[in-house]
């Protein structure tokens, strides 16, 4: 499979010329005024997710050039190689097969490797779901609380999804997620739990992660110190390293495979807390939603392929417009952990500076991804989005129908929420000229300042781009589709940039230095340390 790095294509040069000629001065207001069909022209429907791409700074020619870029880079071949189980994670010598985790057994064959992976997946999935159902039948009696101990991909995905799917959760079970190696995280959680009715899931792909093992030790000590007796029933492991889990004393374990990246593992046994929360049928729906998005990604031509088109806009903004970040604004409180989840997915995947051949890339890669649920963000940092010096493309996520029970007393809130969502993307695009602002009466306190000065402060530049994703409702199926959409989008931008989206060597140095520093907290030795680290160690060390 030949992959051409984006800057080694003819399309790249053509895009540069296009940016200089048109892109740099592109004005969304003019574009909408000139084309009554712009909304429809830039709308895409993928399974479970509708996307309005019209408020982006592009036109049909930009889109055609970008789509040409994807074709010239060999994106389709790269996608097919991933789906066929080729070892595209070169630096770790692994296949990348999280899609196999949601492939039904009767799906079309995608080759020997993938078919074998799918068979292995179902050999674990069925017992996993049966176990989840057993826990649910004991909800409220044997089990009242489920505590997931894990970090990174072993925390962010299940936590985000369990929160998002609150409406579908078992009413007699409470869910807790502990990740940080900080007593301030685990202590208040344990203080609320009864060991006799708590199920602890120790989730770690490698079962070597310092934070997770330290917290698991604390949980086990708490369990035995508070009358817990049956570790085998109350502790379950989820890992690819069953041996290490057994050494830790966990006999009940669900496995997965090294071809599942940590940040892509929500669909595997790492999703156990979610499976317990929403049940076997709910989890199957979640997988089915993701599989439908996989099929969209696999079979839809590049020009109509939603993950591809979103990645192309990302490349357009990052590499041509020079925008450094993207803000995600889910207008649904249930999606409040989505930005954190996406930070790992996008920045751990594509925060890379060398290509597959080890050459430093001469262009920017992953943007900073950040955000908060709407409308909260509006009353905090949206000021900067509207009037700051940086242009930050915003991704709005709107859910048409609220959860069941959000009628009556709450019905009005949802309409207000959606109106806010639309108003923000409208305001970002439309802006407001100072001349228009000058017609408004200044606030009383400002009557001493010249009207024009106030008008400048009250003006909005506008032309600030956004994408709006719309889900009909937040269900296991649509959430599965949404997450798979993001995974494939990250794959596409990583492939165009020619980086390995599936390793994470950047987290290793800090881990090694931490291990080297730990004994110094005992001894106080600072020899060989830089002056800053030495000074801080001395200051922080408990005497
Ligand atoms: O340190 C980064 C990382 O390896 C992530 O990629 C991963 O999701 C997280 O740590 C947790 O790893 P594990 O599941 O092996 O404990």
């Amino acid at each position: 499979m030949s992959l051409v790095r984006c800057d080694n294509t003819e399309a790249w040069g053509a895009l540069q010329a296009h940016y200089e000629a048109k892109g740099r001065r592109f004005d969304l207001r003019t574009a909408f005024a000139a084309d009554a069909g712009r909304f429809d022209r830039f709308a895409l429907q993928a399974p479970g997710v509708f996307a309005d791409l019209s408020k982006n700074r592009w036109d049909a020619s930009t889109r055609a050039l970008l789509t040409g870029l994807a074709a010239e880079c060999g994106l389709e071949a790269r996608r097919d190689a991933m789906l066929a189980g080729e070892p595209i994670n070169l630096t770790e010598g692994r296949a990348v097969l999280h899609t196999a985790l949601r492939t039904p057994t009767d799906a079309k064959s995608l080759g020997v490797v993938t078919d074998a992976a799918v068979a292995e997946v179902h050999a674990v999935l069925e017992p996993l779901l049966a176990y989840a159902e057993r826990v649910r039948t004991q909800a409220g009696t044997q089990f009242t609380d489920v505590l997931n101990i894990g970090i990174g991909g072993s925390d962010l995905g299940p936590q985000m999804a369990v929160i998002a799917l609150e409406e579908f959760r078992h009413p007699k079970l409470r869910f807790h997620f502990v990740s940080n190696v900080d007593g301030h995280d685990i202590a208040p959680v344990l203080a609320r739990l009864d060991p006799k009715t708590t199920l602890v899931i120790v989730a770690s792909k490698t079962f070597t992660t310092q934070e997770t093992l330290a917290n698991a030790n604390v949980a086990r000590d708490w369990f035995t110190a508070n009358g817990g007796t049956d570790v085998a029933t109350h502790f379950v492991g989820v890992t690819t390293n069953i041996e290490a889990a057994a050494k830790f004393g966990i006999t009940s374990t669900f496995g997965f495979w090294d071809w599942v990246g940590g940040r892509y593992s929500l669909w595997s046994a790492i999703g156990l807390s979610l499976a317990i929360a929403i049940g076997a049928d709910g989890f199957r729906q979640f997988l089915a939603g993701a599989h439908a998005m996989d099929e969209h990604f696999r079979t839809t031509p590049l020009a109509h392929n939603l993950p591809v088109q979103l990645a192309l806009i990302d490349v357009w903004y990052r590499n041509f417009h020079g925008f450094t970040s993207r803000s995600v604004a889910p207008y649904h409180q249930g999606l409040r952990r989505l930005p954190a989840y996406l930070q790992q997915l996008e920045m751990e995947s594509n925060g890379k500076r060398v290509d597959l051949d080890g050459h430093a890339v001469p262009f920017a890669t992953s943007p900073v991804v950040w955000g908060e649920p709407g409308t909260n963000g509006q009353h905090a940092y949206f000021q900067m989005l509207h009037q700051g010096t940086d242009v930050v493309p915003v991704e709005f996520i709107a859910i048409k129908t609220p959860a069941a029970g959000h009628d009556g007393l709450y019905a009005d809130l949802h309409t207000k929420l959606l109106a806010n969502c639309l108003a923000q993307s409208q305001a970002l695009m439309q802006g407001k000229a100072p001349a228009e602002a000058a017609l408004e009466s200044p606030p009383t306190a400002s009557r001493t300042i010249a009207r024009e000065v106030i008008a400048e402060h009250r003006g909005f530049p506008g032309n600030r781009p956004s994408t709006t994703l719309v889900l009909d409702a937040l269900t296991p199926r649509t959430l599965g589709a949404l997450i798979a959409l993001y995974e494939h989008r990250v794959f596409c931008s990583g492939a165009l940039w020619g980086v390995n989206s599936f390793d994470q060597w950047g987290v290793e140095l800090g881990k090694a230095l931490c291990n080297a520093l730990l004994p110094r907290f005992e001894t106080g030795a600072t020899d060989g340390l830089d002056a800053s680290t030495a000074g801080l160690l001395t200051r922080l060390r408990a005497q």
Side-chain angles (χ1 to χ4, degrees):
M1 164 237 359
S2 68
L3 178 71
V4 181
R5 203 176 73 186
C6 56
D7 57 325
N8 293 330
T9 59
E10 280 182 20
W12 195 256
L15 277 160
Q16 262 160 349
H18 174 72
Y19 175 74
E20 291 304 331
K22 275 173 95 177
R24 185 192 285 285
R25 281 174 295 282
F26 188 88
D27 192 287
L28 284 165
R29 294 152 296 196
T30 314
F32 273 97
D35 180 7
R38 185 172 168 86
F39 173 75
D40 292 329
R41 222 178 298 291
F42 291 94
L44 276 183
Q45 179 69 59
V49 186
F50 169 84
D52 171 20
L53 306 177
S54 66
K55 289 198 188 90
N56 283 293
R57 288 194 195 171
W58 67 344
D59 61 14
S61 57
T62 325
R63 180 167 61 183
L65 284 169
L66 286 167
T67 305
L69 173 73
E72 207 181 334
C73 284
L75 184 63
E76 287 161 302
R78 179 85 177 158
R79 171 198 66 197
D80 294 345
M82 173 175 75
L83 297 176
E86 286 183 31
I88 63 162
N89 176 357
L90 289 180
T91 57
E92 296 181 323
R94 290 174 184 166
V96 174
L97 271 175
H98 48 274
T99 47
L101 298 168
R102 54 241 188 174
T103 304
T105 40
D106 58 358
K108 173 189 172 300
S109 166
L110 286 172
V112 180
V113 179
T114 307
D115 293 351
V118 171
E120 284 186 74
V121 163
H122 285 271
V124 173
L125 180 63
E126 300 311 324
L128 181 94
L129 295 182
Y131 174 77
E133 283 299 322
R134 266 203 313 282
V135 172
R136 287 165 63 85
T137 57
Q138 297 167 318
T141 53
Q142 169 90 359
F143 295 114
T144 54
D145 294 86
V146 177
L147 167 61
N148 187 89
I149 297 178
I151 197 163
S154 302
D155 165 69
L156 291 164
Q159 186 189 160
M160 175 272 297
V162 166
I163 292 173
L165 297 175
E166 185 182 9
E167 182 189 358
F168 301 88
R169 283 199 318 237
H170 195 295
K172 291 192 174 150
L173 287 170
R174 292 179 291 262
F175 291 84
H176 315 268
F177 292 84
V178 162
S179 54
N180 204 354
V181 65
D182 179 351
H184 300 93
D185 192 3
I186 193 166
V189 174
L190 293 182
R192 294 197 296 272
L193 301 181
D194 177 353
K196 293 187 195 66
T197 55
T198 297
L199 175 67
V200 180
I201 301 172
V202 183
S204 174
K205 178 178 169 181
T206 56
F207 226 85
T208 58
T209 304
Q210 181 203 58
E211 294 90 332
T212 301
L213 296 189
N215 278 322
N217 270 316
V218 169
R220 197 178 43 190
D221 290 350
W222 160 84
F223 182 76
T224 44
N226 290 279
T229 47
D230 188 2
V231 174
T233 305
H234 288 267
F235 280 72
V236 58
V238 176
T239 185
T240 58
N241 190 351
I242 290 177
E243 219 170 80
K247 259 198 207 137
F248 181 86
I250 295 184
T251 45
S252 176
T253 315
F254 293 100
F256 59 111
W257 307 270
D258 69 358
W259 39 260
V260 182
R263 52 195 175 275
Y264 299 87
S265 63
L266 170 58
W267 326 92
S268 73
I270 290 289
L272 177 58
S273 52
L274 177 65
I276 295 171
I278 63 175
D281 286 347
F283 199 76
R284 282 187 217 284
Q285 284 296 313
F286 181 63
L287 298 179
H291 178 65
M293 188 59 76
D294 295 343
E295 285 299 281
H296 168 83
F297 179 48
R298 185 175 70 81
T299 59
T300 310
L302 296 174
H304 305 285
N305 196 308
L306 185 54
V308 172
Q309 292 297 311
L310 288 173
L312 289 171
I313 295 173
D314 291 340
V315 168
W316 177 234
Y317 285 158
R318 190 78 183 99
N319 301 120
F320 296 91
H321 285 272
F323 301 153
T324 55
S325 81
R326 189 174 89 246
S327 187
V328 180
Y331 276 67
H332 192 301
Q333 194 63 15
L335 292 174
R336 61 187 174 277
R337 291 298 287 163
L338 183 69
Y341 170 82
L342 293 179
Q343 285 181 332
Q344 187 197 15
L345 180 65
E346 299 210 30
M347 296 199 274
E348 198 173 74
S349 295
N350 286 342
K352 310 285 164 68
R353 49 172 277 289
V354 296
D355 67 13
L356 293 170
D357 295 325
H359 299 129
V361 294
F363 46 75
T365 59
S366 178
V368 175
V369 179
W370 58 285
E372 281 287 324
T375 63
N376 295 2
Q378 290 173 210
H379 298 273
Y381 54 79
F382 267 60
Q383 161 65 39
M384 180 265 203
L385 300 182
H386 286 291
Q387 289 189 315
T389 50
D390 286 295
V391 174
V392 179
V394 183
E395 192 150 285
F396 294 95
I397 303 174
I399 314 290
K400 185 176 172 188
T401 315
H406 283 244
D407 43 12
L409 195 58
Y410 306 111
D412 193 35
L413 297 182
H414 192 66
T415 315
K416 287 190 166 76
L417 182 73
L418 292 182
N420 268 282
C421 181
L422 289 195
Q424 290 302 319
S425 68
Q426 202 184 13
L428 284 165
M429 175 182 76
Q430 241 171 244
K432 188 200 278 186
E436 192 188 333
L439 302 176
E440 296 163 357
S441 58
T444 338
S446 308
R447 288 198 196 280
T448 50
I449 302 175
R451 216 181 172 84
E452 310 78 64
V453 176
I454 293 288
E456 284 301 329
H457 284 274
R458 296 178 76 172
F460 292 69
N463 198 28
R464 302 216 156 176
S466 66
T467 290
T468 301
L469 302 178
V470 180
L471 275 56
D472 279 345
L474 190 57
T475 65
R477 199 179 172 94
T478 60
L479 183 67
L482 181 71
I483 300 307
L485 169 66
Y486 277 111
E487 287 180 345
H488 295 320
R489 170 199 200 154
V490 169
F491 168 85
C492 291
S493 49
L496 298 174
W497 286 324
V499 299
N500 182 2
S501 303
F502 301 102
D503 62 12
Q504 56 284 317
W505 299 107
V507 302
E508 294 304 327
L509 178 59
K511 287 183 190 173
L513 292 180
C514 174
N515 286 336
L517 280 172
L518 267 175
R520 292 177 183 266
F521 272 82
E522 277 293 311
T523 63
T526 57
D527 52 295
L529 294 179
D530 64 87
S532 165
T533 309
L536 291 169
L537 175 71
T538 306
R539 183 167 275 263
L540 286 172
R541 203 175 142 252
Q543 294 302 319

